Amino acid sequence: MKIAKEISTYCPYCNKHTVHIVKSVIGPKPANPSRGMSVSNRRHNRKIKGYVGKVKAKTPVKKLAKKQKALLECKECHKSIQRVFGNRTKKKLEIKR
Ligand SMILES: [Zn+2]
C-alpha cells in the first residue's frame, strides 16, 4: 500500500481538517528479551505444554496480517496521531517520495 507524503485529514487538537505529514511506520514492539526465561514465563510454557489440566488455551485462530500503522503529524499544531491504513493487509505501508 502506498500513501502520499502529505495528506489532509481531521486533527482532533485543531478540531478541523489540516495538512498532516506522514512520518514513520510504527512496527510492533518486540517483547522484553530479558524476561524470556523468567519464572513466570517458564511456568506459563509448562502449562501450555500440557502437563496440567485445562489452562488458558492457545489462540485457536491466528490473525493472518498485521495492522499497518503510521504517525500523522499536524502541520499547524505539530501534534501527532496514530492511524491505521488498510485494516489488516499483508501489504506493507510505503510512503511515497
Ligand atoms: Zn492540529
Coordinates of all heavy atoms in Angstrom, one line a residue:
M1 N 0.8 -1.2 0.0 CA 0.0 0.0 0.0 C 0.9 1.2 0.0 O 1.8 1.3 0.7 CB -0.9 0.0 1.3 CG -2.3 -0.3 1.0 SD -3.2 0.0 2.5 CE -3.8 1.7 2.1
K2 N 0.5 2.2 -0.8 CA 1.3 3.4 -0.9 C 0.4 4.6 -0.4 O -0.8 4.7 -0.7 CB 1.7 3.7 -2.3 CG 2.9 2.7 -2.7 CD 3.3 3.0 -4.1 CE 4.3 2.0 -4.5 NZ 4.7 2.1 -5.9
I3 N 1.0 5.4 0.4 CA 0.3 6.6 0.8 C 1.2 7.8 0.4 O 2.4 7.7 0.4 CB 0.0 6.7 2.3 CG1 0.9 5.7 3.1 CG2 -1.4 6.5 2.6 CD1 0.8 5.9 4.6
A4 N 0.5 9.0 0.2 CA 1.2 10.2 -0.1 C 2.0 10.7 1.1 O 1.7 10.4 2.2 CB 0.3 11.2 -0.6
K5 N 3.0 11.6 0.8 CA 3.8 12.1 1.9 C 3.0 13.1 2.8 O 3.2 13.1 4.0 CB 5.0 12.9 1.2 CG 6.2 12.8 2.0 CD 7.3 13.6 1.2 CE 8.6 13.6 1.9 NZ 9.6 14.4 1.1
E6 N 2.1 13.8 2.2 CA 1.3 14.7 2.9 C -0.2 14.5 2.6 O -0.5 14.3 1.4 CB 1.6 16.2 2.6 CG 2.9 16.7 3.1 CD 3.2 18.1 2.8 OE1 2.5 18.7 1.9 OE2 4.1 18.7 3.4
I7 N -1.0 14.4 3.7 CA -2.4 14.2 3.4 C -3.2 15.1 4.3 O -2.7 15.6 5.3 CB -2.9 12.7 3.7 CG1 -2.4 12.2 5.0 CG2 -2.5 11.8 2.6 CD1 -3.0 10.9 5.4
S8 N -4.4 15.4 3.9 CA -5.3 16.3 4.6 C -6.3 15.5 5.3 O -7.2 14.9 4.7 CB -5.9 17.3 3.7 OG -7.0 18.0 4.3
T9 N -6.2 15.5 6.7 CA -7.2 14.8 7.5 C -7.6 15.6 8.7 O -7.1 16.7 9.0 CB -6.7 13.4 8.0 OG1 -5.5 13.6 8.5 CG2 -6.7 12.4 6.9
Y10 N -8.5 15.0 9.4 CA -9.0 15.7 10.6 C -8.0 15.6 11.8 O -7.4 14.6 12.0 CB -10.3 14.9 11.1 CG -10.9 15.5 12.4 CD1 -11.5 16.7 12.5 CD2 -10.7 14.7 13.6 CE1 -12.0 17.2 13.6 CE2 -11.3 15.2 14.8 CZ -11.9 16.4 14.8 OH -12.4 16.9 16.0
C11 N -7.8 16.8 12.4 CA -6.9 16.9 13.6 C -7.7 17.1 14.8 O -8.5 18.1 14.9 CB -5.9 18.0 13.4 SG -4.9 18.2 14.9
P12 N -7.7 16.2 15.8 CA -8.5 16.3 17.0 C -8.1 17.5 17.9 O -8.9 17.9 18.7 CB -8.4 15.0 17.7 CG -7.1 14.4 17.2 CD -7.0 14.9 15.8
Y13 N -6.9 17.9 17.7 CA -6.4 19.1 18.5 C -6.9 20.4 18.0 O -7.3 21.3 18.7 CB -4.9 19.0 18.7 CG -4.4 17.7 19.3 CD1 -3.9 16.7 18.5 CD2 -4.5 17.5 20.7 CE1 -3.5 15.5 19.1 CE2 -4.1 16.3 21.3 CZ -3.6 15.3 20.5 OH -3.2 14.2 21.0
C14 N -6.8 20.5 16.6 CA -7.2 21.8 16.0 C -8.7 21.7 15.7 O -9.3 22.8 15.5 CB -6.5 22.0 14.7 SG -4.7 21.9 14.8
N15 N -9.3 20.5 15.8 CA -10.8 20.4 15.6 C -11.2 20.8 14.2 O -12.3 21.3 13.9 CB -11.6 21.1 16.6 CG -13.0 20.6 16.8 OD1 -13.2 19.4 16.4 ND2 -13.9 21.3 17.4
K16 N -10.3 20.5 13.2 CA -10.7 20.7 11.8 C -9.7 20.0 10.9 O -8.8 19.3 11.4 CB -10.5 22.2 11.5 CG -9.2 22.8 11.7 CD -9.1 24.3 11.4 CE -7.7 24.8 11.6 NZ -7.6 26.2 11.4
H17 N -10.0 20.0 9.6 CA -9.1 19.3 8.7 C -7.8 20.2 8.4 O -7.9 21.4 8.1 CB -9.8 19.1 7.3 CG -10.5 17.8 7.3 ND1 -11.6 17.5 8.1 CD2 -10.3 16.7 6.6 CE1 -12.0 16.2 7.9 NE2 -11.2 15.7 6.9
T18 N -6.7 19.6 8.6 CA -5.4 20.2 8.3 C -4.5 19.3 7.5 O -4.8 18.1 7.4 CB -4.7 20.7 9.6 OG1 -4.6 19.5 10.5 CG2 -5.4 21.8 10.3
V19 N -3.4 19.8 7.0 CA -2.4 19.0 6.3 C -1.5 18.3 7.3 O -1.0 18.9 8.3 CB -1.6 19.9 5.4 CG1 -0.5 19.1 4.6 CG2 -2.4 20.6 4.4
H20 N -1.4 17.0 7.1 CA -0.6 16.2 8.0 C 0.6 15.6 7.2 O 0.5 15.3 6.1 CB -1.4 15.0 8.6 CG -2.3 15.4 9.6 ND1 -3.5 16.1 9.4 CD2 -2.3 15.2 11.0 CE1 -4.1 16.3 10.5 NE2 -3.4 15.8 11.5
I21 N 1.7 15.5 7.9 CA 2.9 14.8 7.3 C 2.9 13.4 7.8 O 2.8 13.1 9.0 CB 4.2 15.5 7.8 CG1 4.2 17.0 7.5 CG2 5.4 14.8 7.1 CD1 5.3 17.7 8.2
V22 N 3.0 12.4 6.9 CA 3.0 11.0 7.2 C 4.5 10.7 7.6 O 5.4 10.8 6.8 CB 2.6 10.1 6.0 CG1 2.7 8.7 6.4 CG2 1.2 10.5 5.6
K23 N 4.7 10.5 8.9 CA 6.1 10.5 9.4 C 6.8 9.1 9.3 O 7.7 9.0 8.6 CB 6.1 11.0 10.9 CG 6.3 12.5 11.0 CD 6.8 12.8 12.3 CE 8.1 13.6 12.1 NZ 8.6 14.1 13.4
S24 N 6.3 8.2 10.0 CA 7.0 6.9 10.0 C 6.1 5.8 10.3 O 5.0 5.9 10.9 CB 8.1 6.9 11.1 OG 7.5 7.1 12.3
V25 N 6.4 4.6 9.8 CA 5.6 3.4 10.0 C 6.1 2.8 11.4 O 7.2 2.5 11.6 CB 5.8 2.4 8.9 CG1 4.9 1.2 9.1 CG2 5.4 3.1 7.6
I26 N 5.1 2.7 12.3 CA 5.5 2.1 13.6 C 5.3 0.6 13.6 O 4.2 0.1 13.3 CB 4.6 2.8 14.6 CG1 4.6 4.3 14.5 CG2 5.0 2.3 16.0 CD1 3.4 4.9 15.1
G27 N 6.3 -0.1 13.8 CA 6.2 -1.5 13.9 C 5.8 -2.0 15.2 O 5.7 -1.2 16.2
P28 N 5.5 -3.3 15.4 CA 5.1 -3.8 16.7 C 6.3 -3.8 17.6 O 7.4 -4.1 17.2 CB 4.6 -5.2 16.4 CG 5.2 -5.6 15.1 CD 5.4 -4.3 14.3
K29 N 6.1 -3.5 18.8 CA 7.2 -3.5 19.8 C 7.6 -5.0 20.1 O 6.8 -5.8 20.4 CB 6.7 -2.8 21.1 CG 7.1 -1.4 21.2 CD 6.9 -0.9 22.6 CE 7.2 0.6 22.7 NZ 6.9 1.1 24.0
P30 N 8.9 -5.3 20.1 CA 9.3 -6.6 20.5 C 9.2 -6.8 22.0 O 9.3 -5.8 22.8 CB 10.8 -6.6 20.1 CG 11.2 -5.2 20.1 CD 10.0 -4.4 19.7
A31 N 8.9 -8.0 22.4 CA 8.7 -8.3 23.8 C 10.0 -8.1 24.5 O 11.1 -8.3 23.9 CB 8.2 -9.7 24.0
N32 N 10.0 -7.8 25.8 CA 11.2 -7.5 26.6 C 12.0 -8.8 26.6 O 11.6 -9.8 27.1 CB 10.8 -7.1 28.0 CG 12.0 -6.6 28.7 OD1 13.1 -6.6 28.2 ND2 11.7 -6.1 29.9
P33 N 13.2 -8.8 25.9 CA 14.0 -10.0 25.8 C 14.6 -10.6 27.1 O 14.8 -11.8 27.3 CB 15.2 -9.6 24.9 CG 15.2 -8.1 25.0 CD 13.9 -7.7 25.3
S34 N 14.7 -9.7 28.1 CA 15.3 -10.1 29.4 C 14.4 -11.0 30.2 O 14.7 -11.6 31.1 CB 15.8 -8.9 30.2 OG 14.7 -8.1 30.5
R35 N 13.1 -11.0 29.8 CA 12.1 -11.7 30.6 C 11.8 -13.1 30.0 O 10.9 -13.8 30.3 CB 10.7 -11.0 30.6 CG 10.8 -9.6 31.3 CD 10.9 -9.8 32.8 NE 9.8 -10.5 33.4 CZ 9.7 -11.0 34.6 NH1 10.8 -10.9 35.4 NH2 8.7 -11.5 35.1
G36 N 12.7 -13.5 29.0 CA 12.4 -14.8 28.3 C 12.4 -16.0 29.1 O 11.6 -16.9 29.0
M37 N 13.4 -16.1 30.1 CA 13.5 -17.3 30.9 C 13.1 -17.1 32.3 O 13.6 -17.8 33.2 CB 14.9 -17.9 30.8 CG 15.2 -18.6 29.5 SD 14.2 -20.0 29.2 CE 14.9 -21.2 30.3
S38 N 12.2 -16.1 32.5 CA 11.8 -15.8 33.9 C 10.9 -16.9 34.5 O 10.4 -17.8 33.7 CB 11.1 -14.5 34.0 OG 9.9 -14.6 33.2
V39 N 10.7 -16.9 35.8 CA 9.9 -18.0 36.4 C 8.5 -18.0 35.8 O 8.0 -19.0 35.5 CB 9.9 -17.7 37.9 CG1 9.0 -18.8 38.6 CG2 11.3 -17.7 38.5
S40 N 7.9 -16.8 35.7 CA 6.6 -16.8 35.2 C 6.4 -17.3 33.8 O 5.5 -18.0 33.5 CB 6.0 -15.3 35.3 OG 6.9 -14.5 34.6
N41 N 7.4 -17.0 33.0 CA 7.4 -17.4 31.6 C 7.5 -19.0 31.5 O 6.9 -19.6 30.8 CB 8.5 -16.8 30.8 CG 7.9 -15.5 30.1 OD1 6.7 -15.3 30.0 ND2 8.8 -14.7 29.5
R42 N 8.4 -19.5 32.3 CA 8.7 -20.9 32.3 C 7.4 -21.7 32.8 O 7.0 -22.7 32.3 CB 9.9 -21.3 33.2 CG 11.2 -21.1 32.5 CD 12.3 -21.4 33.4 NE 12.6 -20.3 34.4 CZ 13.2 -20.5 35.5 NH1 13.7 -21.7 35.9 NH2 13.4 -19.5 36.3
R43 N 6.8 -21.1 33.8 CA 5.6 -21.7 34.4 C 4.5 -21.7 33.3 O 3.8 -22.7 33.1 CB 5.1 -21.0 35.6 CG 4.0 -21.6 36.4 CD 3.4 -20.8 37.5 NE 4.5 -20.3 38.4 CZ 4.6 -19.1 38.8 NH1 3.8 -18.1 38.4 NH2 5.5 -18.7 39.7
H44 N 4.4 -20.6 32.6 CA 3.4 -20.5 31.6 C 3.6 -21.5 30.5 O 2.7 -22.1 30.0 CB 3.4 -19.0 31.0 CG 2.4 -18.8 29.9 ND1 1.1 -18.7 30.2 CD2 2.5 -18.7 28.6 CE1 0.4 -18.5 29.1 NE2 1.3 -18.5 28.1
N45 N 4.9 -21.6 30.0 CA 5.2 -22.6 29.0 C 4.9 -24.0 29.4 O 4.4 -24.8 28.6 CB 6.7 -22.5 28.6 CG 6.9 -21.2 27.8 OD1 6.0 -20.6 27.3 ND2 8.2 -20.7 27.9
R46 N 5.1 -24.4 30.7 CA 4.8 -25.7 31.2 C 3.3 -26.0 31.1 O 2.9 -27.0 30.7 CB 5.3 -25.8 32.6 CG 6.0 -27.1 33.0 CD 6.4 -27.1 34.4 NE 7.2 -26.0 34.8 CZ 7.0 -25.2 35.9 NH1 6.1 -25.6 36.8 NH2 7.8 -24.2 36.2
K47 N 2.5 -24.9 31.5 CA 1.1 -25.1 31.4 C 0.6 -25.3 30.0 O -0.2 -26.2 29.7 CB 0.4 -23.8 32.0 CG 0.3 -23.8 33.5 CD -0.4 -22.5 33.9 CE -0.4 -22.4 35.4 NZ -1.0 -21.1 35.9
I48 N 1.2 -24.5 29.1 CA 0.8 -24.6 27.7 C 1.1 -25.9 27.1 O 0.4 -26.5 26.3 CB 1.4 -23.4 26.9 CG1 0.8 -22.1 27.3 CG2 1.3 -23.6 25.4 CD1 -0.6 -21.9 26.8
K49 N 2.3 -26.5 27.6 CA 2.7 -27.8 27.0 C 1.8 -28.9 27.3 O 1.7 -29.9 26.6 CB 4.1 -28.1 27.6 CG 5.1 -28.6 26.6 CD 6.5 -28.8 27.2 CE 7.4 -29.3 26.2 NZ 8.8 -29.6 26.8
G50 N 1.1 -28.8 28.4 CA 0.0 -29.8 28.7 C 0.2 -30.8 29.8 O -0.2 -31.9 29.7
Y51 N 0.9 -30.4 30.8 CA 1.1 -31.3 32.0 C 0.0 -31.0 33.0 O -0.2 -31.8 33.9 CB 2.5 -31.2 32.6 CG 3.5 -31.8 31.7 CD1 4.5 -31.0 31.1 CD2 3.5 -33.2 31.3 CE1 5.4 -31.6 30.2 CE2 4.4 -33.7 30.5 CZ 5.4 -32.9 29.9 OH 6.3 -33.5 29.1
V52 N -0.6 -29.9 33.0 CA -1.7 -29.6 33.9 C -3.0 -29.7 33.2 O -3.0 -29.9 32.0 CB -1.5 -28.2 34.5 CG1 -2.1 -28.0 35.8 CG2 0.0 -27.8 34.5
G53 N -4.1 -29.6 33.9 CA -5.4 -29.6 33.3 C -5.6 -28.4 32.3 O -4.6 -27.8 31.9
K54 N -6.8 -28.2 32.0 CA -7.0 -27.1 31.1 C -6.6 -25.8 31.6 O -7.1 -25.4 32.7 CB -8.5 -27.1 30.6 CG -8.6 -26.3 29.3 CD -10.1 -26.1 29.0 CE -10.2 -25.2 27.7 NZ -11.5 -24.8 27.5
V55 N -5.8 -25.1 30.9 CA -5.4 -23.7 31.3 C -5.8 -22.8 30.2 O -6.4 -23.2 29.2 CB -3.9 -23.6 31.6 CG1 -3.6 -24.2 33.0 CG2 -3.1 -24.3 30.6
K56 N -5.3 -21.6 30.4 CA -5.6 -20.6 29.3 C -5.1 -21.2 28.0 O -4.0 -21.4 27.8 CB -4.7 -19.3 29.6 CG -5.1 -18.5 30.8 CD -4.1 -17.4 31.0 CE -4.2 -16.9 32.4 NZ -3.0 -16.1 32.8
A57 N -6.1 -21.4 27.2 CA -5.8 -22.1 25.9 C -5.0 -21.2 25.0 O -5.0 -20.0 25.1 CB -7.1 -22.5 25.3
K58 N -4.3 -21.9 24.0 CA -3.7 -21.1 23.0 C -4.8 -20.5 22.1 O -5.8 -21.1 22.0 CB -2.8 -22.1 22.1 CG -1.6 -22.6 22.8 CD -0.9 -23.6 21.9 CE -0.1 -24.6 22.7 NZ 0.3 -25.7 21.8
T59 N -4.4 -19.5 21.4 CA -5.4 -18.9 20.5 C -5.7 -19.9 19.3 O -4.7 -20.3 18.7 CB -5.0 -17.5 20.0 OG1 -3.6 -17.7 19.4 CG2 -5.0 -16.5 21.1
P60 N -6.9 -20.3 19.1 CA -7.2 -21.2 18.0 C -6.9 -20.6 16.6 O -6.5 -21.3 15.7 CB -8.6 -21.6 18.2 CG -9.2 -20.4 18.9 CD -8.1 -19.9 19.8
V61 N -7.3 -19.4 16.5 CA -7.1 -18.8 15.1 C -6.0 -17.7 15.2 O -6.0 -16.8 16.1 CB -8.4 -18.1 14.7 CG1 -8.3 -17.4 13.3 CG2 -9.5 -19.1 14.7
K62 N -5.1 -17.8 14.3 CA -4.0 -16.8 14.2 C -4.5 -15.8 13.2 O -4.9 -16.1 12.1 CB -2.7 -17.4 13.9 CG -2.0 -18.0 15.0 CD -0.5 -18.3 14.7 CE 0.2 -18.8 15.9 NZ 1.5 -19.3 15.5
K63 N -4.3 -14.5 13.6 CA -4.6 -13.5 12.6 C -3.5 -13.4 11.5 O -2.4 -13.6 11.8 CB -4.7 -12.1 13.3 CG -5.8 -12.2 14.4 CD -6.5 -11.0 14.7 CE -7.8 -11.3 15.4 NZ -8.1 -10.3 16.4
L64 N -4.0 -13.3 10.3 CA -3.1 -13.5 9.2 C -2.2 -12.3 8.9 O -1.1 -12.5 8.3 CB -3.9 -13.9 7.9 CG -4.6 -15.3 8.0 CD1 -5.5 -15.5 6.8 CD2 -3.5 -16.4 8.1
A65 N -2.7 -11.2 9.1 CA -1.9 -10.0 8.8 C -2.0 -9.0 9.9 O -2.7 -9.1 10.9 CB -2.5 -9.4 7.5
K66 N -1.0 -8.1 9.9 CA -1.0 -7.1 10.9 C -1.5 -5.8 10.5 O -1.5 -5.4 9.3 CB 0.5 -7.0 11.4 CG 0.9 -8.2 12.2 CD 2.2 -8.0 12.9 CE 2.4 -9.3 13.8 NZ 3.8 -9.4 14.2
K67 N -1.9 -5.0 11.5 CA -2.4 -3.7 11.1 C -1.3 -2.8 10.8 O -0.2 -2.8 11.4 CB -3.2 -3.1 12.3 CG -4.5 -3.7 12.5 CD -5.3 -3.1 13.7 CE -6.6 -3.7 13.9 NZ -7.3 -3.1 15.0
Q68 N -1.5 -2.0 9.7 CA -0.4 -1.1 9.2 C -0.6 0.3 9.8 O -1.6 1.0 9.4 CB -0.4 -1.1 7.7 CG -0.2 -2.4 7.1 CD 1.1 -3.1 7.4 OE1 2.1 -2.4 7.6 NE2 1.1 -4.4 7.6
K69 N 0.3 0.7 10.7 CA 0.1 2.0 11.4 C 1.1 3.0 10.9 O 2.2 2.6 10.4 CB 0.3 1.8 12.9 CG -0.9 1.1 13.6 CD -0.5 1.0 15.1 CE -1.5 0.1 15.8 NZ -1.1 -0.2 17.1
A70 N 0.7 4.2 11.0 CA 1.6 5.3 10.6 C 1.3 6.5 11.5 O 0.3 6.6 12.1 CB 1.4 5.7 9.2
L71 N 2.4 7.3 11.7 CA 2.2 8.5 12.5 C 1.9 9.7 11.6 O 2.5 9.9 10.6 CB 3.5 8.8 13.2 CG 3.7 8.4 14.7 CD1 4.9 9.1 15.2 CD2 2.5 8.9 15.5
L72 N 0.8 10.4 12.0 CA 0.5 11.6 11.2 C 0.8 12.8 12.1 O 0.3 12.9 13.2 CB -1.0 11.6 10.8 CG -1.5 10.4 10.0 CD1 -2.9 10.5 9.7 CD2 -0.7 10.3 8.7
E73 N 1.6 13.7 11.6 CA 1.9 14.9 12.3 C 1.2 16.1 11.7 O 1.4 16.4 10.5 CB 3.4 15.2 12.4 CG 3.8 16.1 13.5 CD 5.3 16.6 13.4 OE1 6.1 15.8 13.8 OE2 5.5 17.7 12.9
C74 N 0.5 16.8 12.6 CA -0.2 18.0 12.1 C 0.8 19.1 11.8 O 1.7 19.4 12.5 CB -1.2 18.5 13.1 SG -2.1 20.0 12.7
K75 N 0.5 19.9 10.7 CA 1.4 20.9 10.3 C 1.2 22.2 11.1 O 2.1 23.0 11.2 CB 1.3 21.2 8.8 CG 2.4 20.6 8.0 CD 2.4 21.1 6.6 CE 3.6 20.7 5.9 NZ 3.7 21.3 4.5
E76 N 0.0 22.3 11.7 CA -0.3 23.6 12.4 C 0.1 23.5 13.9 O 0.7 24.4 14.4 CB -1.8 23.9 12.2 CG -2.1 24.4 10.8 CD -3.6 24.8 10.7 OE1 -4.2 25.1 11.8 OE2 -4.0 24.9 9.6
C77 N -0.3 22.4 14.6 CA -0.1 22.3 16.0 C 1.1 21.4 16.3 O 1.5 21.3 17.5 CB -1.3 21.9 16.7 SG -1.9 20.2 16.3
H78 N 1.6 20.7 15.3 CA 2.8 19.8 15.5 C 2.5 18.7 16.4 O 3.5 18.2 17.1 CB 4.1 20.6 15.8 CG 4.5 21.6 14.8 ND1 5.0 21.2 13.6 CD2 4.3 22.9 14.8 CE1 5.2 22.3 12.9 NE2 4.8 23.4 13.6
K79 N 1.3 18.3 16.6 CA 1.0 17.1 17.4 C 0.7 15.9 16.5 O 0.3 16.1 15.3 CB -0.2 17.4 18.3 CG 0.1 18.4 19.4 CD -1.0 18.4 20.5 CE -0.5 19.2 21.6 NZ -1.5 19.3 22.7
S80 N 1.0 14.7 17.0 CA 0.9 13.6 16.1 C -0.2 12.6 16.6 O -0.4 12.4 17.8 CB 2.2 12.9 15.9 OG 2.8 12.7 17.1
I81 N -0.8 11.9 15.7 CA -1.8 10.9 16.0 C -1.4 9.6 15.2 O -0.8 9.7 14.2 CB -3.2 11.3 15.6 CG1 -3.2 12.0 14.3 CG2 -3.8 12.1 16.7 CD1 -4.6 12.2 13.7
Q82 N -1.9 8.5 15.7 CA -1.6 7.2 15.0 C -2.9 6.9 14.2 O -4.0 7.2 14.6 CB -1.5 6.1 16.1 CG -0.1 5.9 16.5 CD 0.1 4.6 17.2 OE1 -0.6 3.6 17.0 NE2 1.1 4.6 18.1
R83 N -2.6 6.3 13.1 CA -3.7 6.0 12.1 C -3.4 4.6 11.5 O -2.3 4.3 11.2 CB -3.8 7.0 11.1 CG -4.7 6.7 9.9 CD -6.2 6.9 10.3 NE -6.5 8.3 10.6 CZ -6.8 9.2 9.6 NH1 -6.7 8.8 8.3 NH2 -7.2 10.4 9.9
V84 N -4.4 3.8 11.4 CA -4.3 2.5 10.8 C -4.8 2.7 9.3 O -5.8 3.2 9.0 CB -5.2 1.4 11.5 CG1 -5.1 0.1 10.7 CG2 -4.7 1.2 12.9
F85 N -3.9 2.2 8.4 CA -4.2 2.3 7.0 C -4.5 0.9 6.5 O -3.7 0.0 6.6 CB -3.1 2.9 6.2 CG -3.0 4.4 6.4 CD1 -2.1 4.9 7.3 CD2 -3.7 5.3 5.6 CE1 -2.0 6.3 7.5 CE2 -3.6 6.6 5.8 CZ -2.8 7.1 6.7
G86 N -5.6 0.7 5.9 CA -5.9 -0.6 5.3 C -6.0 -1.6 6.4 O -5.0 -2.4 6.5
N87 N -7.0 -1.8 7.1 CA -7.1 -2.6 8.3 C -6.7 -4.1 7.9 O -7.3 -4.7 7.1 CB -8.6 -2.6 8.8 CG -8.6 -2.9 10.2 OD1 -7.6 -3.2 10.8 ND2 -9.8 -2.9 10.8
R88 N -5.6 -4.6 8.5 CA -5.1 -5.9 8.4 C -4.9 -6.3 6.9 O -5.7 -7.0 6.3 CB -6.1 -6.9 9.0 CG -6.0 -6.8 10.5 CD -6.4 -8.1 11.2 NE -6.5 -7.9 12.6 CZ -5.5 -7.9 13.4 NH1 -4.3 -8.1 13.0 NH2 -5.6 -7.7 14.7
T89 N -3.9 -5.8 6.3 CA -3.5 -6.2 5.0 C -2.1 -6.8 5.1 O -1.4 -6.5 6.0 CB -3.4 -5.0 4.0 OG1 -2.6 -4.0 4.6 CG2 -4.7 -4.4 3.7
K90 N -1.8 -7.6 4.1 CA -0.5 -8.3 4.1 C 0.5 -7.3 3.5 O 1.7 -7.5 3.6 CB -0.5 -9.6 3.3 CG -1.1 -10.7 4.2 CD -0.9 -12.0 3.6 CE -1.4 -13.1 4.5 NZ -1.2 -14.4 4.0
K91 N 0.0 -6.3 2.7 CA 1.0 -5.4 2.1 C 1.5 -4.4 3.1 O 0.7 -4.0 4.0 CB 0.3 -4.7 1.0 CG 0.0 -5.6 -0.2 CD -0.8 -4.9 -1.2 CE -1.2 -5.9 -2.3 NZ -2.1 -5.3 -3.3
K92 N 2.7 -4.0 3.0 CA 3.3 -3.1 4.0 C 3.1 -1.7 3.5 O 3.0 -1.4 2.3 CB 4.8 -3.4 4.2 CG 5.0 -4.6 5.0 CD 6.4 -4.7 5.5 CE 6.5 -5.9 6.5 NZ 7.8 -6.0 7.0
L93 N 3.1 -0.8 4.4 CA 2.9 0.6 4.1 C 4.2 1.2 3.4 O 5.3 1.0 3.9 CB 2.6 1.5 5.3 CG 1.1 1.6 5.7 CD1 1.0 2.6 6.8 CD2 0.3 1.9 4.6
E94 N 4.0 2.0 2.4 CA 5.1 2.7 1.8 C 4.7 4.2 1.7 O 3.6 4.5 1.2 CB 5.5 2.2 0.4 CG 6.0 0.8 0.4 CD 6.1 0.2 -1.0 OE1 6.6 0.9 -1.9 OE2 5.7 -0.9 -1.2
I95 N 5.7 5.0 2.1 CA 5.4 6.5 1.9 C 6.0 6.9 0.6 O 7.2 6.7 0.4 CB 6.0 7.2 3.1 CG1 5.4 6.7 4.4 CG2 5.7 8.7 3.0 CD1 6.1 7.2 5.7
K96 N 5.2 7.5 -0.2 CA 5.7 8.0 -1.5 C 6.7 9.1 -1.3 O 6.5 10.0 -0.5 CB 4.5 8.5 -2.3 CG 3.8 7.4 -3.0 CD 2.7 8.0 -3.9 CE 1.7 6.9 -4.4 NZ 0.6 7.6 -5.1
R97 N 7.7 9.0 -2.2 CA 8.7 10.1 -2.1 C 8.5 11.1 -3.2 O 8.0 10.8 -4.3 CB 10.1 9.5 -2.3 CG 10.5 8.6 -1.1 CD 10.7 9.5 0.2 NE 10.5 8.7 1.4 CZ 10.2 9.2 2.6 NH1 10.0 10.5 2.7 NH2 10.1 8.5 3.6
Ligands
ZN1 ZN -3.5 20.1 14.6

